[in-house]
Amino acid sequence: MQNGLWQAVLGEIELSVSRGNFITWFKNTTLLKQDDNALVVGVPNVFIKQQLERKYNQLICETLEKNGVKTPVVEYKIHALAGKQKPSNEEAQSLLKTQPIPTASNRPTDLKSATTSKLAHSYRQGLNERYTFENFIVGSGNELAHAACQAIAQNPGSRYNPLFLYGGVGIGKTHLIQAVGNTVLVQKPEARVVYVSTEQFVQEFVDALRFKKNTDFADYYRGADVLIVDDVQFLAGKEKIQEEFFHTFNALHQANKQIIISSDKPPKEIPTLEERLRSRFVWGMSIDMQNPDFETRCAIVQAKAHNHGVEIDHEVAEYLANNVQTNIRELEGALNQLLAFCEMRDLTPNLTTTMNILGVNASRPKHISAKQIIERTAKYFHIDMEDIMSPKRDKDIVVPRQVAMYILRSELHLSFPKIARELGRKDHTTAIHSVEKIEKGIREDDTLRSAVAEIKERLHA
Ligand code: ADP
Ligand code: MG
């Protein structure tokens, strides 16, 4: 039908937006219907629909006007036929190239580019301002950890040094230890606060050896006023790095600098952790964090909804808190799904919708296997199954692998250890980091978001 008109419009738009944007947002659209000045444009998925509505509607209308449609009104509709062709290799590659996901080796504060003289202003590494004490809900399970962290933030280096915080995944360890760093910096902007995941620490150490910058590496970490090391269980079995960490620890501790460490288990249960490190980890204070109780979970759901600008009923909060008991990360995920669902349809979240959404998620995965997800993801990015399952760390393999992990999580709700195993990995923290990276990536990066949406859609097709 009137595709001549639409082809003309697309032709002009192609000239006025970047090639990447054109391919992502416009290429797979079709004109479904035209009654005088009212048009219906078919789009392949909801992300493209939103983007066209929010960002490109004006451009589209103006271009239609230039092509003879007076004061056009355009409606965008998700349509099965739109965008069914495979993305070209070029598109998949451009996703990987244009929007790199930050990794240890391309962060701006990377040691490769930091000379000793530049080191000072690269402190404040790794902190995310979204983690504060203000938005942390205190209740049973986390109150002791919270109290210790607040005390440290007020007076770093004096008490509880080191602080060793341990507990299961998704219960707020990273949030609290980052809140300490953020608070210290508010009070003392010149303080050298370093937050580092153990994964990054390891990667930087390896890079430092490779690029013969080990002194920079050592100076950098030993120059911190507050050193926060997340997920330290990751040091297990890495002897050389444990030794480096041991020296860093001693230097900082002797200088009364604050050290904060988190782990998914207590020091004595981290396998192959050197005895001397194990004993130092318990020098100060160790605190066991638990998943918060029901009341606290309800309060967390309500506070998070409130931060999104939505007030939810008590019964909705209770339903979520009752049905998502694993940890706060999952609870937050369920709430975000509910809010996104309601926002797209302009609904107020109520009990029925909530029950439906949690129910739909529970029944959906039956038809899809983990293997299918990994295969489809590899195929989408034009890489081999062998590569995605391999230990290779090339960027064009790492990103698809992270996407596969993310989809295993969001579609099948697999546990992190299970996700790691499905991709032939032993350590589940890699799965956690991957899922977090993609979660963050799709909030910030339209191309990544539509790639994930596209893979999911094909899985359900
Ligand atoms: P962990 O590091 O223990 O795996 P995180 O700190 O990453 O867990 O927490 C997972 C998510 O849950 C984060 O988005 C965090 O903000 C949120 N969260 C956890 N506990 C709380 C809490 N008590 N109040 C508010 N948000 C919380
Ligand atoms: Mg964490």
Side-chain angles (χ1 to χ4, degrees), residues 103-373:
T103 62
S105 50
N106 68 9
R107 263 178 310 131
T109 50
D110 185 21
L111 286 167
K112 270 182 257 169
S113 58
T115 62
T116 320
S117 61
K118 277 198 221 144
L119 279 175
H121 64 249
S122 64
Y123 285 94
R124 206 224 149 83
Q125 161 181 301
L127 285 178
N128 183 335
E129 286 170 11
R130 131 182 134 85
Y131 295 120
T132 61
F133 285 121
E134 287 74 43
N135 62 18
F136 188 85
I137 307 291
V138 186
S140 82
N142 63 30
E143 50 197 347
L144 191 57
H146 175 263
C149 284
Q150 281 225 311
I152 290 172
Q154 296 314 320
N155 222 339
S158 53
R159 288 157 77 196
Y160 313 139
N161 201 14
L163 174 69
F164 191 99
L165 215 57
Y166 66 93
V169 295
I171 57 171
K173 300 185 297 296
T174 299
H175 188 135
L176 267 186
I177 59 184
Q178 288 235 358
V180 176
N182 284 322
T183 308
V184 169
L185 280 173
V186 168
Q187 286 160 357
K188 226 176 141 205
E190 73 285 0
R192 292 182 291 191
V193 177
V194 176
Y195 166 92
V196 67
S197 71
T198 301
E199 233 188 356
Q200 269 168 33
F201 186 82
V202 169
Q203 185 63 44
E204 285 177 9
F205 180 68
V206 172
D207 285 351
L209 286 183
R210 190 149 46 123
F211 297 100
K212 306 234 173 340
K213 298 259 181 170
N214 358 3
T215 14
D216 284 0
F217 175 85
D219 288 350
Y220 179 76
Y221 284 101
R222 289 173 207 178
D225 296 319
V226 178
L227 176 64
I228 307 171
V229 184
D230 207 350
D231 288 323
V232 86
Q233 73 276 2
F234 225 44
L235 284 181
K238 302 190 172 81
E239 278 169 34
K240 272 211 111 149
I241 294 159
Q242 288 189 19
E243 185 178 336
E244 175 65 32
F245 192 72
F246 178 75
H247 293 304
T248 307
F249 185 102
N250 286 345
L252 290 174
H253 198 267
Q254 268 161 22
N256 290 327
K257 304 295 188 188
Q258 180 70 46
I259 302 162
I260 304 174
I261 298 163
S262 88
S263 164
D264 68 354
K265 30 179 129 44
K268 64 177 184 320
E269 284 172 25
I270 304 178
T272 58
L273 182 69
E274 270 190 71
E275 197 43 47
R276 53 182 186 170
L277 263 183
R278 202 189 300 274
S279 65
R280 268 163 181 73
F281 284 171
V282 294
W283 266 0
M285 180 157 187
S286 323
I287 297 178
D288 175 8
M289 267 180 95
Q290 305 276 351
N291 193 23
D293 64 359
F294 174 71
E295 273 76 31
T296 314
R297 291 200 303 276
C298 285
I300 291 175
V301 173
Q302 281 183 314
K304 301 238 174 224
H306 178 82
N307 288 345
H308 278 94
V310 181
E311 302 303 326
I312 56 170
D313 286 348
H314 212 68
E315 53 177 16
V316 171
E318 283 181 0
Y319 185 86
L320 285 167
N322 241 328
N323 284 279
V324 189
Q325 301 204 359
T326 35
N327 62 48
I328 306 304
R329 185 180 291 122
E330 306 245 330
L331 185 60
E332 203 175 351
L335 173 70
N336 286 343
Q337 272 181 349
L338 172 68
L339 296 182
F341 181 91
C342 291
E343 193 190 323
M344 276 181 227
R345 291 165 185 76
D346 223 2
L347 300 171
T348 314
N350 61 20
L351 193 56
T352 322
T353 321
T354 313
M355 288 164 90
N356 280 340
I357 289 189
L358 290 190
V360 166
N361 281 331
S363 62
R364 224 177 165 194
K366 274 188 213 131
H367 320 286
I368 309 169
S369 70
K371 185 152 176 272
Q372 275 172 316
I373 290 182

